Each structure stands twice: as structure tokens, then as C-alpha cells.
Amino acid sequence: MTAGPVSDHAPVAVLIGFMGAGKSTVGVALADLLGVGFCDTDHEIVARAGRTVAEIFVDEGEPYFRQFEAEVVADVLTTHSGVIALGGGAVMTPAVRAVLAGHRVVHLAVSPDAGFARVRSSKRPLLRAGPGTGSVDTTPEDRYRALLAERAETYQRVADITTDTTGRAPAALADEIARALGVLPASAPRDEGLPS
Ligand SMILES: Nc1ncnc2c1ncn2[C@@H]1O[C@H](COP(=O)(O)OP(=O)(O)OP(=O)(O)O)[C@@H](O)[C@H]1O
Ligand SMILES: O=C(O)C1=C[C@@H](O)[C@@H](O)[C@H](O)C1
Ligand SMILES: [Mg+2]
């Protein structure tokens, strides 16, 4: 959401995108490439709450999780100057979109097939059936596809840069994002290119 950095200590990049897009994975690769710290808001929530994301969803419900998540996002945006990966649903909360204004937001996109293949064996609460999660009449894959389709426009709108991660390695994605942001350190290898 471009409007210039909100402070000198603003994060280098804020990664957004759907479950399985690779925000946590590419975020670590990008932070390593740039020699900066990495913060994953899902991990920050777990550390602060002393419970897993799935436990918070079950014990308190999604609205409580979203409020907590919005507070954590607002906090880390003012305290963390490296790479930040947001939880997959964070930008659906209006308060999160508001605090992202002026930050360098990168959308990691993924095809439904590739994304679901990446997360099918993990414990994402919104892919499970049950109260406050998905319908018992649909499969996790149905829910994955429907939620991705529902959110795609918002990810696109909030981001300054979008890159499709389907079939691409995290290290290559990190390199591409760093170049797009113009923040690649001088010592990093550059494309050879063809002689003109
Ligand atoms: N570019 C990629 N190619 C292949 N596999 C990947 C890629 N990026 C991530 N993965 C794998 O996909 C799975 C999900 O990745 P990751 O946890 O980084 O996604 P996420 O966007 O952070 O999801 P969530 O929103 O649920 O936190 C992991 O097993 C990871 O190793
Ligand atoms: O897409 C979502 O709504 C979520 C994604 C994860 O990162 C977690 O924040 C949680 O499982 C919810
Ligand atoms: Mg993640």
C-alpha cells in the first residue's frame, strides 16, 4: 500500500497471501538474503497467547482471533524493521488494512491446486469442519478453493507487488522480491544478462 514508508524503522517488506502461498517460507528466505530479522504474526500470536492458532479459534472463536491478530500486526509494524509475514486472513480485517497504509506490501499468490497440495496435511483451522470453521458439507479442498477465490481481490488490492509462487522455489522468489523492492544488498549476486 504505497504512500512512502511510515517511519525510518518500517519493515523492509510485509508479505500477505493465502494459506500455503509460502509467506512464512519465503519470508525467512527473504530475511536471510537481506540479512534482516523475520517476524511471522502467526508465531507472534502463539507466543503472546501461549496457545496455538487452532486452540484460539476453538476456545475463543474467529472474531476474538481477528481482534488479537489486528493488535499484533499493528504492534509489529511499529517495532519490527525486517521482513514480516502476516497470517493468511489478516488483511481481511479492515483495521489491518488501515495500518498497512504506507508499508511495502508483497502479495504471494498461488494456484488453488498448488496451494492446497502444500497445506492439505497441516492443521489450518479454517480448512477443518465444525463450529466456527467450515461447513461439514464441504471438503477441506472445497473450502480452500472458495476462501481463496473470496479473498483474491483483496490481496491484489492491498499489495504493491504480486508474485505467483506456483512452481517456483522460495530462494528464487526471495531474490525476485528483493529486486522488485530495490533492497538487494550490493554484495548479492546479480543476473548475468545477455550481452547487448
Ligand atoms: N515456493 C514453494 N514451493 C514449494 N513448496 C512451498 C513453497 N513455499 C512454501 N512451500 C511449502 O508449503 C507449505 C506452506 O508454506 P508456508 O507455511 O510458508 O505458507 P504460508 O503462506 O505461511 O501459510 P499460512 O497462511 O497458513 O501461514 C510448507 O510446507 C512449505 O514448505
Ligand atoms: O487464512 C486464514 O484465515 C488463516 C491463516 C493462517 O495463517 C492463520 O492465521 C489462521 O489459521 C487463519
Ligand atoms: Mg505462515
Side-chain angles (χ1 to χ4, degrees), residues 23-24 40 42 124:
K23 300 175 297 297
S24 303
D40 188 311
D42 280 337
R124 265 64 171 182

Side-chain angles (χ1 to χ4, degrees), residues 18-20 22-25 38 40-43 85-88 124:
F18 198 50
M19 289 176 264
K23 300 175 297 297
S24 303
T25 308
F38 173 68
D40 188 311
T41 60
D42 280 337
H43 298 171
L86 301 193
R124 265 64 171 182

Side-chain angles (χ1 to χ4, degrees), residues 17-20 23-24 40-43 45 53-54 57 62 65-66 69 86-90 92 123-127 147 151 155:
F18 198 50
M19 289 176 264
K23 300 175 297 297
S24 303
D40 188 311
T41 60
D42 280 337
H43 298 171
I45 288 166
V53 168
F57 264 77
E62 184 173 355
F65 174 81
R66 295 302 176 194
E69 179 178 54
L86 301 193
M92 303 312 293
K123 292 184 184 161
R124 265 64 171 182
L126 289 178
L127 301 183
L147 207 49
R151 291 178 178 177
Y155 293 135

Side-chain angles (χ1 to χ4, degrees), residues 105-109 155-157 159-164 176-177:
V105 181
V106 179
H107 169 208
L108 299 186
Y155 293 135
Q156 193 74 26
R157 178 161 44 89
D160 300 302
I161 295 168
T162 293
T163 187
D164 190 348
E176 179 192 305
I177 293 165

